[in-house]
Structure formats: C-alpha cells, structure tokens
Amino acid sequence: MDIRSKDIRYAAGTKIAAVVLVWICFVSAVWSLGFLFLNQEVDKSNSYYDSYRFKDEFSRLIHNTVEANIKLKSIENINASGGTVGDKARNIERYHNIKSRMSNTVNYLYYINNSSTGEAITNVAASQPKELIKKQPVNASISRWNWESKVDIYTYGGEIEEMLRGTEYEVYAAIQEPLKPGDVFYDDFKAYSRTKEIIAFAYPVMFVSLILLIIVAAYLSCVTGRRERGGEIVLSGVDNIYTDVHTLLVLIAAALSLTIAVSSSEPNDILTWVIPLLVLGVDGLIGISYVLSMIRQAKAGRIFKNTLIYNLAKLCFDKNSFKPSIILFLLGYGLINGILFDIGVDLNQGDQEPVFTILLIVFNTAAVYFTARALTSLSKIMNAAKEISSGNLDYELNSSEISVAFSGMATNIANIQGGLKKAVEEAIKGERMKTDLITNVSHDLKTPLTSIISYVDLLKNEELNNERAEEYVNILEEKGARMKQLVEDLVEASKASSGNLPVNAEKVDLHELVLQACGEYEEKITEAELDLRINAEEKNIFVYADGKQMWRIIENLLLNAIKYSMPQSRMYINLTSDSNYGSFTVKNISALPLDIPPEQLTERFVRGDVSRTTEGSGLGLSIAQSLTALQGGKFKIEIDGDLFKVSVDIPLWAE
Amino acid sequence: MDKLNVLVCDDDKAIVDALEIYLKQENYGVVRAYNGKQALKALSEQQIHLILLDVMMPELDGLSATIKIREEQNIPIIILSAKSEDTDKIAGLNFGADDYVTKPFSPLELMARVKSQMRRYTTLGSMPQKSSVLKTGSLELDEEAKELRVDGEIIRLTATEYGIMLFLMENMGHVFSIDQIYEKVWNEPLYSAENTVAVHIRRIREKIEINPREPKYLKVVWGIGYKIERY
C-alpha cells in the first residue's frame, strides 16, 4: 500500500495532473482577484444608486437641466443676451447638446418652478409632477435656499449652486423606480447587478483557488525533479536554459502580457476578457514551468552555477581557456578607446585641438602592433608544430621571439618536441644495440668458423682412403661455406634494415650497372641454363645512388633468379625511367610453384621453398629491399603464377 | 737460402695450428705467438719475413701491434680479422698493414696472399725497370714483350684481354665505362646492350686477382665503369 502510494505520488501522470490543477487554480485565483480589484467600487457600494457611476450621471443631468432651463432658457434668449458672437455660438451649440441628451433619457424626471413668477418646466407628463418626483426613492430638491438630495450630487454641486444663485427657481429631479429600459441608467443598472452577482461568486472561487494553489504547489515543489522518494534529482529540458536568462525571459513575458492587458481594456467588449484570460493562461504555464524549474535546480544545487553570468565568468577566468589578464586587457582596451573617443568627439565639437583623436589613433595603432606581434608568435608556433610533425625534430623555436600570451604554448610544443626526440633517439639506440649485438655475435661465430673451414680443408687434402669419409668431408665443406654466407648476410641484413650503413650516393648509370652485374654472373647464368635478355629503352639512366649498394641489390636479385629459375627458361631485365625514378625489373619463371604472398618473401629468412635445403640464407630479397629503401627507392615484388617479378625504382640523378 | 719465416699471431690456438700446417706445406718456417706482446717479442728475437696478425687479441691487439712494428720494420703484415666492414679494412691498411683478410677465410686464398706478399718483399725492387713497363703494385705490363706479370709471374691473356689491360693501364686510375672500353679495344661503337666487356673483365680478374670478388688491381666502380688501381 505504501509502495503504491509512493508510486502514485511520484508518477508522471500525477505530476501532470497537479500542474494542470495548479494552472487552473492560478488562472482562476488571479482572474477573481483581478475582477474584485477592478470592481472594488461596485463591491463596496450597497446599491446601484450608491455607485459612483450613478451619482455622476445623476448630478450631471441635474446640472444640464439647470443650465438649459435656467441659464440659457432658449435660443432667442441667448441671441438677446449680450456677449461676443463666439460666446453666443458656443452657448447655442451647448444648448442643442443638452437638449439632445435630455431627450435620450427615459428614467430621469425633473420639475422646475420659479417661485416668484410661477413659471414651471417639466418632462413629467403626470398632473402632479412635483409630488411624483418626491415619491421616487432617489430624488433631489434644490433651490438657492434649500439643498436636499437622497444621493450625493456633489460632483457638479458647485456649478449648480452657482447657476441658482440670485434666482427664485426651485429644481426637483428624480430617477423613476422601477427603471425602464431605454437609457444609460437602465443599462448601467443591469451591468451593476450582473457585476454584483459575479462578485458574490468570485470570493469563494478566489479563496478555494488560493488554498488549492498553495497545497498543490507545495506538493509539486516536493516531488518535482524526483522519480521516487529521496531519489536523484532528474532535470528536464527546460532546466538547461541558464537560470538568469530564464528569469529575464519570464520577466519580459510578464511585462509583455501586462502591456497587452492594459492596452485592451476597452470595457464591455468580449475581447476585454478573452485576451487577458488567454495571456493569463499562457503566463500561468510559463510561470509554473519557471518556478518548478527553479525548485528543481535549487534542489540540485545549481541555481547559481547554471547562470549565464557564472558560466561566462568561469570561461573567462578559467586558466585553461583564457588568462584573466587577457580579459582584463580586452576590457581595458575597450574602456580606454571609449573614453578617448568620447572626449575626442566632445572636444572636436568645440573646435579644439584634436589631441584626443590623435591619441586614439596612436593607441589603436599600438594595440594593432602588439596584436600583430602576438599573431606572428602564433604563426611561428604553428610553423614549428608543422616542422615537428613533418619529422624535423631539431627545429628550434626561439622562445625569446614569442610574445607572453603564447609563451606557455611555445613551451608545451617544445616539451612535445623534446619527448618525441627522446623517443626517436631511444628507438634508434635500440635498433643500433640490436645491430651491434648481431655484429658482435657474428664476430664470435666467425673465429670458430675459421678453424672449421681450415681443418675441413686440411682433412680434404688428407688421404682418407674411405669413400664415405670423403663424402662426409664434402658435406662439412659445403655446410661450412653456407654458414659463412649466412653469418655475412645476417650482419648485412641487420645493418641494411636498421639504416646503419653509410650511403655514398653519386651519379650511377643503371644501364652500366646492369651490364657489369650480368658480366659478373655470365657463367653462372649459363650454368643454370638460363637465357638472359636485357631490354633498355635508353642507353643511360643516371640515378642518385651508392654504386656498391646498387651492386648488392642487383647481385641478390640475380642470385635469386639463378637459384630459383626453371632451367632452360628466359630471364629478362628491363630498364626504364620516368620523371622521378630510374627502374630495373628482373623477371624469371620460378622452377617451383610460388604459393606465398610477395610481401612475405622479403621477410627475413623466408624463402620460396619452405624446406630450406638449398644454398642461400633467405636474406637476399630482404637485404635488397632494405638497401633500396636506404637509397630512397621503391622495391616491389609481383608474383603472377610462376612469373616472379621484382622491380627496383631509384630516384633519378638531378643535375 | 734460409727458410722464410712467417710469424703467425692469433689468440685462437686452433687457427694457429691450421695456419702452421698450411705454411709448412708451402715450405715456410713458422713462429707462433698468441698475442701482440708475444709477437713483438718474437720479432725482436728472430728473423721474420711476414706476419699474419689477428686483430682482437688480449694484452696487445693487432692494430696497436702493427703500429709498433711499423715504427721499426718494413716486413709485410697481413691482418686476419673477423671484422669485415670497409672502415675496419681501411683502418688496418692505414695503420700500415699490407693486406687485410676477413675471417672466415679460405686457406688457399690466404696462402696465395702470403706468397704474393712474400715475393714482393723478397724479390721485387731488385728487378731492373724498363721504360716500356707499366707498373702498379706488383702488377706489370710489358709492352715490348706483350706480357702481363703479377708478382713476377706471367699471366696468360687472350688478345682482347691484353687489349683491355693495355688500355686501362695506360690510363691508370681513370674510370672507363663499358662503352668507352668497347670503342677503344674493339675499335667500333657499341650498339646493343652487351655485357661482353664485363665478361672479359671478370675473366681477367680471375686470372690476376687472388680474390676476384675483392680485386686489388682491376676494380669495378659499380654503375660507372672499370679502372686499374694505382699503387
């Protein structure tokens, strides 16, 4: 039961219902309050005749009656009276106005009697007008001697009294009861009665609404932002608006609604009520959403942190994004500029020396100069970063040329550079250590190998008289030679791949090189029953390379081809060049099927035949590749069925 | 004539033993030493005509020993070393060694080098110099007799090979491309991509060089041409 009630209290449906209820209560409370406030005069008066509207209207009519019948009398009388033409015209117009107004009244009764002449004027048709008037509950009888009225007619009292002074007239006026429809009194009376009825209804509505509002609002402020009792504060989308901005927006909305409400206060119009009610409704929603949002944020303790001002200040004074000094500089710059500009403009109007204008120009020129210097520093730093990223780790950023604003950045870049340099140096050191290790090991292997080779040779020269022993010696000799080759290739491969070989690059003719190399291996090629074809597009292809290393590359390729080519097949060497590279390609047909990917062939110790029984160290292609790379060239192996193709591109010699 | 004595100096006794066998087969007397100090001592005590010297040895290494020996004597020194880099070879030769052989060496090649150095040391210099002889190191080309001699031994060459050698030795130290050599020797321009010249030069090297892969006289300048080294 407890759990269920908890669920209901924190359920979204309940909250929405509560919001709607609060909204309705708010709207009705404000509406009823406003209504009571606007109609407080009606509320306070006991009856229609007690209301200000009635008193005003009634006393004006008495005034009109007195003015028209006693002061102006008739148009002839006005014309006969002395006075300017203007006065007469005004009086005539006034006379007509009064007459027309009087004729529009139904419920107003009057009777005027001159006690000296017996003259009597009335709008009452009955035979006894004076008595009829006196019988009405609201009546007044006025003369220079007598002032008697059931209601307060002081609005125009002074003027009436003025007009009656020195005359013998007695004025009787009344509003007939009950009121008949057809004039302003009847309409006003109806409106008054309706307002009275609504007031009687508005009070309870107001009280109930207020009480409900307080209760439900208290409930909402407790549960808003929570999914369960004591749970985490869950913020909604509205809460992402900065609180100060939100407040400002709500205030603007309130001001706007007030303006609308005030501007549309045309009485007795349907829109008079509809528009403010609509505005009120919308305001109510905005207000509730705002208040609840504030409550949620207060609960989450971020009402202050979520202000735009706080965030701006944080941004400005957070050391990681901006230095406070820069903000102060900017503010100071604006301030000084403003002051100088103001003073300059003021003084120029007075035709004085434009000292401040010059100061303004000087100040701004200085500002532009320092900014430009700072930007130059930035571009220097960017340039340094570019150099470093392209691998120039020795690029020096002159920190004395960097402005204060970017000195931290420059230091950081220098640190990154240092770190990188250290890493690269360590990598190089590691690689060198590896090469050194291999070299040292190979030295240690070479000494015993010397003995082995020497003694095998000595043994070979001995008379063994034993066929098997001779065969064994031959095997030993062959393996000794192989081991020698292996050790030498191992050192070379490790040096080539670690870039630990000096490159003495010069102008080398690829064509010459290929002919020389083929000359060296002529016999071996013939021995292997291969038909070598050299195709050259041009006679000389000059490349920028180390001739000795080029020889090692081509030698390895030739040896490879001789070793693995199918006997009685053709082997091609093509020489070509393009705009950047001179290339030679060695093509041969493999004796054995090649079922390994080309890239694996250049891995150390990988050979086309997995059994590793034939001569060779398996390092030839790897060495050739490393040496090519060392000279800025490109090494590519292609295998197409049994066609084995290696191409080596070397940068062309540039004069 | 007394036996020619060779001082063999290596800290690996097995190598010294083997070298002794080879040297004795060639009728040389052998003096043994196992480090630089012993070598110097032996030199001061006996008549030595050639030294085979290892580099990495205890007490006194081969290079330091070479410097010490050269302060007093002019006998041929052949360095035996496991270090095979160009820089090591150049250092050894600069310190005064006459030859540099890398381990593991072929015993036959080493013996050829020993013989070559020994001949140069014992016989050359006393030979009368003819004006018609082109000479570098112990390589001589006698234009009159149309002979090529290495360490005094006549080398059999074909007419073309002799032509090539004549051209190169007349322009000692100069590098000539295959084209230039062909035009000069064959007396006609080279049209197709031919390696005839290269093959000939390889054959000449096999005849005149102890180790054709590391020639002393007829050198390959890769991608440029060939030359005869001037000594």
Side-chain angles (χ1 to χ4, degrees), chain B:
Chain B
M1 193 177 162
D2 280 349
K3 255 190 184 175
L4 294 171
N5 286 332
V6 176
L7 173 63
V8 182
C9 181
D10 196 311
D11 60 337
D12 188 334
K13 192 173 172 290
I15 291 177
V16 177
D17 287 345
L19 287 175
E20 188 173 4
I21 295 167
Y22 282 106
L23 289 166
K24 282 193 168 153
Q25 280 176 2
E26 303 288 337
N27 262 325
Y28 292 119
V30 175
V31 178
R32 306 163 67 112
Y34 299 106
N35 60 49
K37 276 194 173 165
Q38 287 179 11
L40 290 177
K41 191 165 169 264
L43 268 174
S44 64
E45 288 167 355
Q46 297 176 55
Q47 170 88 24
I48 303 287
H49 301 94
L50 190 141
I51 307 169
L52 292 175
L53 194 59
D54 184 27
V55 173
M56 284 178 289
M57 288 184 297
E59 303 271 336
L60 186 68
D61 69 80
L63 292 180
S64 311
T66 306
I67 295 167
K68 286 237 158 110
I69 294 165
R70 277 286 170 266
E71 283 169 5
E72 291 165 19
Q73 301 193 47
N74 194 26
I75 51 171
I77 302 174
I78 298 175
I79 286 184
L80 309 172
S81 173
K83 291 188 176 175
S84 57
E85 271 149 74
D86 287 351
T87 48
D88 300 319
K89 290 180 188 175
I90 290 163
L93 296 175
N94 280 347
F95 283 141
D98 296 271
D99 210 345
Y100 191 103
V101 178
T102 53
K103 290 182 188 171
F105 45 77
S106 129
L108 293 178
E109 184 193 333
L110 181 65
M111 285 310 118
R113 285 178 190 272
V114 168
K115 277 191 260 176
S116 165
Q117 290 294 335
M118 200 66 103
R119 244 196 317 269
R120 189 181 62 78
Y121 179 62
T122 53
T123 60
L124 296 181
S126 56
M127 295 266 284
Q129 287 291 315
K130 279 193 276 180
S131 60
S132 61
V133 172
L134 299 165
K135 188 173 184 291
T136 174
S138 53
L139 179 72
E140 293 169 358
L141 189 131
D142 188 335
E143 284 185 76
E144 254 175 44
K146 295 207 187 306
E147 278 177 354
L148 185 76
R149 286 189 293 269
V150 181
D151 300 324
E153 266 180 38
I154 294 169
I155 307 288
R156 293 176 165 277
L157 292 178
T158 65
T160 314
E161 287 167 359
Y162 179 78
I164 294 169
M165 281 309 284
L166 181 63
F167 173 57
L168 290 176
M169 286 200 70
E170 278 171 342
N171 303 282
M172 220 179 276
H174 254 269
V175 181
F176 292 98
S177 70
I178 287 172
D179 277 18
Q180 289 168 319
I181 294 170
Y182 191 87
E183 275 171 36
K184 209 74 194 173
V185 177
W186 274 260
N187 258 324
E188 58 185 72
L190 179 68
Y191 288 116
S192 58
E194 277 200 64
N195 53 15
T196 322
V197 174
V199 173
H200 275 99
I201 286 186
R202 168 156 179 90
R203 288 198 185 125
I204 299 170
R205 281 212 321 270
E206 272 162 12
K207 289 176 182 176
I208 66 169
E209 302 283 357
I210 293 170
N211 181 357
R213 276 191 67 86
E214 285 172 39
K216 185 180 175 190
Y217 302 111
L218 182 45
K219 289 202 165 162
V220 190
V221 184
W222 295 105
I224 300 173
Y226 301 96
K227 70 169 178 179
I228 292 285
E229 192 72 65
R230 185 193 286 278
Y231 287 101

Side-chain angles (χ1 to χ4, degrees), chain A residues 446 455 457 495 509 512 520, chain B residues 14 22 82 85 178-179 205 223:
Chain A
K446 278 173 182 176
Y455 283 100
D457 188 66
K495 287 198 173 163
D509 183 3
E512 178 94 14
E520 296 296 317
Chain B
Y22 282 106
E85 271 149 74
I178 287 172
D179 277 18
R205 281 212 321 270

Side-chain angles (χ1 to χ4, degrees), chain A residues 518-534:
Chain A
C518 294
E520 296 296 317
Y521 282 98
E522 167 86 12
E523 281 95 348
K524 283 207 173 184
I525 292 169
T526 316
E527 249 173 57
E529 297 172 71
L530 291 173
D531 182 4
L532 173 65
R533 306 281 173 97
I534 300 169

